[in-house]
């Protein structure tokens, strides 16, 4: 990071830290600064490893100021941000904007409606993060409904149902009810029959191409005016599976002259030859389209507010025709833009990830290279950190970018206090120790918690250093928790230097490990690292998060690893 960029980072960080501190009348938090900083400044992202160190120093300086000094400095540095603060509603302290018309409802009821065609990628986590938070804000009700009525194009994955519920739990939320749409097909049939009786639907045997030509020309389908009795008979034949795929549909009668062709007499039910993978639903061949199924379910579940992508505005418009036929009140709708996530080479797409897993390019949905919820969970990133970062994106209708560095900053706040410090030497270079030397080292388990005690690391006759840390002949380095050594022809020799050689800037501090220490495989987004560690790592429990000093945080994955190392860990972040 050059000086010009560092100055830009410092200025942006100071503005964000002052804004955060003045708004909440408390000290600024690094995590709260990192999210908007990286989201609003894409140029900073390629320096994601360096930015937190700069931000940390800026936040520390801001936190030394009084509230009055912070206000004065914010007015001087970014008066428009201060004006933004003073114009905000004093009561608007929630993590999200208020939902519309909440006072009109006795209870706020919302739904998260995943398609279980695979486990969740990271973008999928945004919906439960927001819905779950609104539930907490309003003491409301949350439904997880699996919209699994497409057995063919987005064929359900039988494992995904439980995996998605596990992801919701990992994010810190518990649904009040869980349902599968494929259990409710008879309910959709009943509402289709009622719609036919109301004159709101008709059966159509036009091919897709034929109907498209009529629709785009604003001309009615020749089947549009058939009597309800014939429509009812043909729909029952659909239900009984007497038609094959593409031979018959049930269409909602809307406005054939509507200015938006996509809303003209849309398909409510179609025939699907492929059996559903669930045993309970495999006999059905007549399946509702999502807009019909979800519209009926939202009403029956009493959903008051729907959050959906800006690209799905037509869904609400289609469903309103059905709601008008039944004289139902349509829920409040909030639209938002798509979320994109940096730092990954793999496309954030369920179908893409599924293909890469099937081809063996990824080891599974929890491969650290995959942009999935299962992956970040296995890396030791806390669900709360992902939720916090998602909430900072807000509810804009514009597409938004989530910087993984903001997730990492949030996660540090959750894990750092409990993370025991350890040494991991990657690609170790073994160096003999020349002459007399200490037999053991006792660096602290945690620098901020002396009461937790020290580590006990045997020195032995040889040490391991990372390649970039090996000193040239005659040069010195300071081994953390041990002392100063000089490179000799025989290896490393301890000197009598005290810590002043470090504080004066003459000697670099490096980490180390016994050359015969336990071996480690650390899985990362860039591939696997191998190294040696101190014996204490093997004493940890699986799921413990440790900080490998000068490397970063990692989750202990397997302490009896059968592969090419004694211990397997997953790298979380710097």
């Amino acid at each position: 990071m050059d000086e010009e960029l560092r100055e830009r980072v410092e200025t942006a960080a100071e503005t964000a830290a002052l804004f955060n501190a003045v708004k909440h009348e408390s000290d600024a938090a690094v995590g709260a600064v990192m999210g908007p900083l990286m989201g609003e400044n894409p140029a900073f992202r390629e320096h994601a490893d360096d930015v937190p160190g700069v931000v940390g120093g800026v936040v520390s300086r801001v936190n030394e100021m009084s509230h009055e000094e912070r206000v004065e400095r914010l007015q001087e540095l970014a008066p428009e941000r201060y004006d933004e603060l003073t114009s905000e509603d004093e009561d608007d302290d929630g993590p999200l904007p208020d939902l519309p018309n909440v006072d009109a409802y006795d209870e706020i009821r919302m739904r998260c409606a995943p398609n279980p065609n695979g486990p969740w990628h990271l973008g999928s986590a945004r919906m439960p993060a927001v819905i779950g938070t609104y539930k907490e804000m309003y003491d409301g009700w949350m439904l997880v409904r699996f919209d699994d009525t497409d057995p063919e194009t987005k064929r359900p994955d039988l494992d995904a149902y439980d995996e998605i519920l596990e992801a919701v739990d990992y994010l810190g939320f518990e649904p009040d009810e869980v349902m599968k749409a494929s259990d409710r097909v008879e309910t959709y049939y009943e509402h289709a029959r009622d719609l036919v009786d109301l004159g709101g639907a008709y059966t159509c045997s036009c091919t897709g191409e034929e109907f498209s030509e009529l629709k785009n020309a604003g001309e009615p389908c020749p089947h549009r005016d058939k009597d309800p009795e014939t429509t009812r008979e043909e729909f029952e034949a659909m239900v009984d599976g007497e038609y094959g795929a593409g031979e018959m549909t049930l269409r909602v009668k809307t406005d054939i002259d509507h200015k938006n062709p996509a809303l003209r007499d849309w398909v409510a039910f179609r025939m699907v030859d492929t059996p559903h993978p669930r045993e309970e639903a495999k006999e059905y061949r007549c399946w509702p389209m999502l807009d019909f199924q979800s519209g009926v379910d939202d009403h029956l579940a009493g959903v008051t507010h729907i959050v959906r992508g800006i690209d799905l505005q037509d869904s609400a418009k289609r469903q309103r025709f059905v709601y008008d036929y039944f004289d139902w009140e349509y829920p409040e709708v909030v639209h938002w833009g798509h979320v994109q996530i940096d730092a990954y080479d793999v496309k954030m797409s369920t179908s893409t990830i599924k293909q890469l897993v099937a081809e063996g390019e990824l080891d599974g949905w929890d491969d650290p290279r995959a942009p999935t919820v299962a992956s970040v969970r296995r890396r030791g990133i806390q669900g709360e950190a992902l939720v916090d970062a998602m909430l900072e994106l807000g509810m804009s209708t514009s597409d938004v970018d989530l910087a993984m560095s903001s997730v990492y900053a949030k996660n540090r706040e959750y894990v750092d206090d409990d993370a025991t410090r350890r040494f991991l030497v990657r690609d170790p270079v073994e160096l003999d120790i020349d002459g007399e030397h200490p037999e053991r080292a006792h660096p602290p388990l945690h620098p901020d918690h002396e009461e937790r005690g020290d580590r006990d690391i045997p020195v032995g006759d040889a040490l391991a250093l990372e390649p970039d840390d090996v000193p040239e002949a005659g040069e010195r380095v300071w081994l953390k928790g041990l002392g100063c050594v000089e490179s000799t022809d025989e290896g490393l020799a301890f000197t009598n230097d005290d810590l002043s050689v470090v504080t004066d800037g003459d000697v670099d501090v490096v980490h180390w490990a016994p050359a015969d220490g336990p071996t480690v495989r650390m899985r990362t987004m860039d591939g696997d690292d191998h190294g040696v560690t101190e014996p204490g790592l093997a004493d940890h429990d699986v799921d413990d998060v440790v900080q490998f000093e000068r490397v970063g945080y990692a989750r202990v994955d397997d302490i009896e690893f059968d592969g090419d190392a004694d211990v397997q860990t997953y790298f979380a972040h710097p």
Side-chain angles (χ1 to χ4, degrees):
M1 182 185 298
D2 59 32
E3 283 305 312
E4 180 183 354
L5 181 61
R6 176 180 287 274
E7 289 179 5
R8 288 172 55 198
V9 172
E10 288 181 342
T11 300
E14 185 180 8
T15 301
L18 289 166
F19 183 88
N20 179 259
V22 172
K23 178 177 182 177
H24 299 290
E25 296 190 25
S26 64
D27 286 348
V30 173
V33 172
M34 282 294 298
L37 184 75
M38 301 301 277
E40 296 167 8
N41 298 276
F44 295 172
R45 294 175 193 165
E46 62 183 283
H47 303 278
D49 291 345
D50 301 323
V51 169
V54 178
V55 172
V58 171
V59 170
S60 295
R61 294 196 298 272
V62 168
N63 288 346
E64 291 174 357
M65 299 179 180
S66 66
H67 179 71
E68 291 73 19
E69 289 171 332
R70 293 169 184 167
V71 170
E72 183 178 352
R73 176 59 179 157
L74 182 60
Q75 289 174 314
E76 174 188 341
L77 185 64
E80 71 285 354
R81 296 304 308 274
Y82 180 74
D83 292 342
E84 186 180 329
L85 273 179
T86 56
S87 64
E88 284 184 352
D89 185 348
E90 294 180 1
D91 295 326
D92 185 19
D93 292 326
L96 292 169
D98 287 338
L99 289 170
N101 300 323
V102 292
D103 292 338
Y105 303 95
D106 293 333
E107 182 181 46
I108 301 303
R109 298 171 67 88
M110 304 184 74
R111 47 81 162 171
C112 175
N115 183 322
N117 61 328
W120 272 348
H121 58 61
L122 282 175
S124 304
R126 189 183 184 195
M127 182 64 78
V130 167
I131 299 298
T133 301
Y134 273 129
K135 173 190 171 180
E136 293 173 350
M137 285 174 60
Y138 294 109
D139 192 21
W141 179 89
M142 174 183 174
L143 166 70
V144 170
R145 184 185 69 227
F146 291 104
D147 285 348
D148 59 347
T149 56
D150 184 352
E152 193 169 55
T153 307
K154 292 190 174 182
R155 186 170 177 78
D157 177 341
L158 291 179
D159 293 330
Y161 294 90
D162 286 341
E163 289 167 342
I164 288 172
L165 291 177
E166 288 170 4
V168 174
D169 180 69
Y170 158 70
L171 295 170
F173 303 107
E174 181 179 356
D176 295 281
E177 185 175 346
V178 176
M179 68 170 62
K180 300 180 180 73
S182 58
D183 284 334
R184 299 170 51 77
V185 177
E186 297 295 337
T187 297
Y188 311 133
Y189 288 167
E190 287 302 315
H191 282 80
R193 295 179 181 112
D194 291 342
L195 189 60
V196 169
D197 292 343
L198 290 169
Y202 64 93
T203 45
C204 170
S205 58
C206 292
T207 66
E209 183 177 340
E210 289 170 345
F211 187 84
S212 181
E213 291 178 359
L214 292 169
K215 176 186 71 174
N216 291 334
E219 297 179 8
C221 164
H223 311 104
R224 195 174 199 263
D225 293 326
K226 69 175 61 171
D227 59 86
E229 292 76 16
T230 302
T231 293
R232 183 70 175 264
E233 290 175 5
E234 292 179 343
F235 180 68
E236 295 304 331
M238 291 176 66
V239 170
D240 292 339
E242 296 179 13
Y243 298 104
E247 293 181 351
M248 186 68 74
T249 62
L250 182 73
R251 293 185 176 276
V252 176
K253 190 180 293 185
T254 62
D255 178 1
I256 203 64
D257 296 318
H258 197 286
K259 63 181 180 180
N260 183 353
L263 306 187
R264 298 172 185 170
D265 288 13
W266 50 275
V267 174
F269 285 80
R270 83 294 200 197
M271 303 302 298
V272 180
D273 292 338
T274 305
H276 198 283
R278 293 186 66 233
E279 188 70 24
E280 300 88 339
K282 70 178 185 180
E283 300 300 327
Y284 292 112
R285 294 295 179 270
C286 177
W287 285 96
M289 298 295 283
L290 178 61
D291 283 336
F292 187 88
Q293 168 253 306
S294 64
V296 169
D297 278 338
D298 287 340
H299 172 74
L300 296 181
V303 169
T304 61
H305 293 76
I306 298 171
V307 177
R308 58 163 56 112
I310 192 69
D311 58 319
L312 297 178
Q313 293 184 83
D314 283 349
S315 289
K317 296 173 183 176
R318 291 191 192 97
Q319 291 172 338
R320 286 182 189 277
F321 285 103
V322 175
Y323 273 61
D324 287 345
Y325 279 118
F326 288 129
D327 196 26
W328 294 343
E329 184 176 347
Y330 199 75
E332 311 285 345
V333 180
V334 177
H335 289 107
W336 61 12
H338 291 288
V339 58
Q340 299 297 324
I341 297 181
D342 67 1
Y344 287 93
D345 294 327
V346 175
K347 182 181 179 182
M348 194 170 65
S349 157
T350 299
S351 58
T352 297
I353 299 169
K354 185 178 292 187
Q355 180 178 348
L356 292 173
V357 171
E359 294 173 350
E361 295 295 322
L362 294 173
D363 294 338
W365 285 79
D366 58 2
D367 189 305
R369 297 166 294 177
T372 62
V373 173
S375 171
V376 297
R377 182 179 187 177
R378 192 164 189 183
R379 288 167 55 194
I381 294 173
Q382 307 301 296
E384 297 90 339
L386 187 55
V387 169
D388 290 349
M390 286 291 184
L391 295 183
E392 285 192 347
L393 298 177
M395 299 291 288
S396 170
T397 55
S398 301
D399 290 349
V400 291
D401 294 323
L402 174 64
M404 285 303 294
S405 56
S406 68
V407 178
Y408 301 158
K410 302 288 186 186
N411 198 57
R412 280 187 208 98
E413 296 181 1
Y414 284 108
V415 304
D416 182 77
D417 196 59
D418 291 328
T420 295
R421 273 42 175 179
R422 297 293 180 190
F423 292 148
L424 169 66
V425 176
R426 299 161 294 179
D427 301 323
V429 177
E430 184 173 333
L431 299 166
D432 291 332
I433 300 178
D434 181 21
E436 295 184 3
H437 58 80
E439 293 185 359
R440 314 189 79 80
H442 300 283
L445 287 166
H446 195 294
D448 298 332
H449 293 281
E450 292 183 5
E451 73 279 4
R452 297 181 188 174
D454 298 328
R455 294 128 73 184
D456 182 25
I457 309 175
V459 177
D461 296 324
L463 299 180
L465 298 182
E466 294 199 349
D468 290 344
D469 292 338
V470 175
E472 298 290 340
E475 292 187 351
R476 295 169 296 171
V477 292
W478 187 278
L479 303 180
K480 293 196 75 169
L482 194 54
C484 190
V485 295
E486 181 178 357
S487 177
T488 69
D489 292 338
E490 287 75 25
L492 298 175
F494 278 82
T495 71
N496 294 319
D497 296 305
D498 60 26
L499 197 57
S500 63
V501 297
V502 174
T503 57
D504 291 343
D506 298 329
V507 173
D508 292 330
V509 177
V510 302
H511 62 287
W512 57 279
D516 60 354
T519 56
V520 174
R521 177 198 192 197
M522 183 168 70
R523 308 215 60 200
T524 82
M525 293 174 67
D526 299 318
D528 294 347
D529 288 334
H530 290 81
V532 295
T533 186
E534 59 190 84
L537 183 66
D539 296 332
H540 282 274
D541 294 327
V542 170
D543 289 333
D544 281 354
V545 175
V546 301
Q547 187 196 78
F548 289 130
E549 298 195 56
R550 300 181 65 234
V551 176
Y553 298 89
R555 173 186 159 273
V556 178
D557 185 73
D558 192 341
I559 57 174
E560 297 179 355
F561 188 50
D562 294 331
D564 54 359
D566 298 319
V567 179
Q568 176 167 272
T569 63
Y570 274 66
F571 182 67
H573 51 77

